[in-house]
Amino acid sequence: MNFIGDNMKTTEYGFKVDTLGDVDTAYYIQQGRDARNEYIAERMNALTTWLKSLKPARQQKSFNSTRSFGTV
C-alpha cells in the first residue's frame, strides 16, 4: 500500500495513481478527510461564536425584592 506522496503519478485525466497504475484511493480518502475536518472546524468556530454571543443576553438580572416568597 502506498502512503500519500510515495511514488504517485498522474494519469492523462488528472487522477493520481499508485505504482501499480490503480487509482490511489489512500490519497483521495485523505483528501476527503482533510476537507471534512476543515468543514467541521469552521462549523465548530461558528457554533462557539454563536454561543458566546448568547452569554450576555442570558445573564441573570439582579433580583431585589423586599418581599419574601409566599407572603402577601
Side-chain angles (χ1 to χ4, degrees):
M1 177 179 220
N2 266 348
F3 292 101
I4 296 174
D6 291 350
N7 302 322
M8 286 197 318
K9 300 175 185 173
T10 306
T11 64
E12 61 185 282
Y13 301 108
F15 294 111
K16 302 276 184 191
V17 294
D18 60 13
T19 54
L20 299 175
D22 296 326
V23 173
D24 193 353
T25 55
Y27 172 80
Y28 290 106
I29 289 171
Q30 188 60 43
Q31 291 290 317
R33 287 179 179 157
D34 292 343
R36 181 186 62 208
N37 290 340
E38 183 178 341
Y39 176 78
I40 290 172
E42 288 173 3
R43 296 289 86 209
M44 291 302 289
N45 285 337
L47 177 63
T48 302
T49 302
W50 180 73
L51 288 172
K52 286 181 179 179
S53 73
L54 293 179
K55 185 178 179 184
R58 294 189 53 128
Q59 287 179 345
Q60 186 175 7
K61 296 180 181 175
S62 63
F63 181 73
N64 294 324
S65 175
T66 56
R67 291 184 162 187
S68 298
F69 289 104
T71 60
V72 181

